[in-house]
Amino acid sequence: MDEFMQAAISEAKQGRNEGGIPIGSVLVKDGKILGRGHNKRVQDGDPVTHAEIDCLRNAGRIGNYQGTTLYSTLMPCYLCAGAVVQFGIRKVIAGESRTFPGAKEFMVSHGVEVVDLNLDECEQMMSEFINEKPELWNEDIGF
């Protein structure tokens, strides 16, 4: 596993330690992290502060997303996949999609290369959270 997915996992753990949902994300270009974030829906009381959105906000205005890669511990949902497509991010690396399939086909249909690493660590982190707090998880994914 590379340093960027490790950074995303660290973000997810930070979110969990804050009482939130353990999903983390980093935006990378030319081997450097431009932004990092984690799901803060619970912490901020904001339904759209998903990890990828927090990451993009923290990266700030970078002007052009060409050559960037978005790492996320979980396959992005349609909200976050929409941001990927909107900003022209061409590559997404997801930690896993077993606990939530996300919007992979949507991104691929818009020319995004999507890599699913199927990492046990990411899957275990989400499975434990879903088992402990199913009502919070269902709220997060809109059920």
Side-chain angles (χ1 to χ4, degrees), residues 77-78 80-83 85-86 102-112:
C77 69
Y78 281 93
C80 299
V85 170
Q86 178 69 31
K104 179 180 180 178
E105 291 79 17
F106 173 79
M107 291 184 286
V108 169
S109 75
H110 285 86
V112 178

Side-chain angles (χ1 to χ4, degrees), residues 125-140:
M125 189 166 40
M126 284 309 304
S127 290
E128 287 173 3
F129 175 79
I130 292 166
N131 287 333
E132 291 171 13
K133 299 192 176 191
E135 68 291 338
L136 188 55
W137 173 242
N138 288 336
E139 177 187 324
D140 191 64

Side-chain angles (χ1 to χ4, degrees), residues 16-138:
R16 181 71 168 125
N17 290 339
E18 294 171 357
I21 298 165
I23 304 169
S25 182
V26 295
L27 182 68
V28 175
K29 183 173 185 175
D30 297 328
K32 295 182 180 160
I33 294 176
L34 302 178
R36 57 180 69 227
H38 53 275
N39 187 303
K40 293 182 182 170
R41 284 182 355 84
V42 174
Q43 300 92 311
D44 293 353
D46 181 349
V48 296
T49 308
H50 288 200
E52 299 86 349
I53 301 302
D54 187 47
C55 173
L56 292 171
R57 282 180 177 152
N58 291 332
R61 293 181 60 212
I62 66 170
N64 185 322
Y65 292 84
Q66 246 182 351
T68 61
T69 299
L70 184 71
Y71 286 75
S72 182
T73 57
L74 185 65
M75 186 64 69
C77 69
Y78 281 93
L79 170 71
C80 299
V84 166
V85 170
Q86 178 69 31
F87 293 120
I89 297 168
R90 290 287 175 227
K91 187 170 186 178
V92 170
I93 300 179
E96 66 101 1
S97 64
R98 289 175 275 175
T99 60
F100 179 70
K104 179 180 180 178
E105 291 79 17
F106 173 79
M107 291 184 286
V108 169
S109 75
H110 285 86
V112 178
E113 178 187 354
V114 179
V115 177
D116 185 349
L117 299 176
N118 284 310
L119 297 173
D120 290 335
E121 182 177 5
C122 293
E123 189 275 331
Q124 182 178 359
M125 189 166 40
M126 284 309 304
S127 290
E128 287 173 3
F129 175 79
I130 292 166
N131 287 333
E132 291 171 13
K133 299 192 176 191
E135 68 291 338
L136 188 55
W137 173 242
N138 288 336

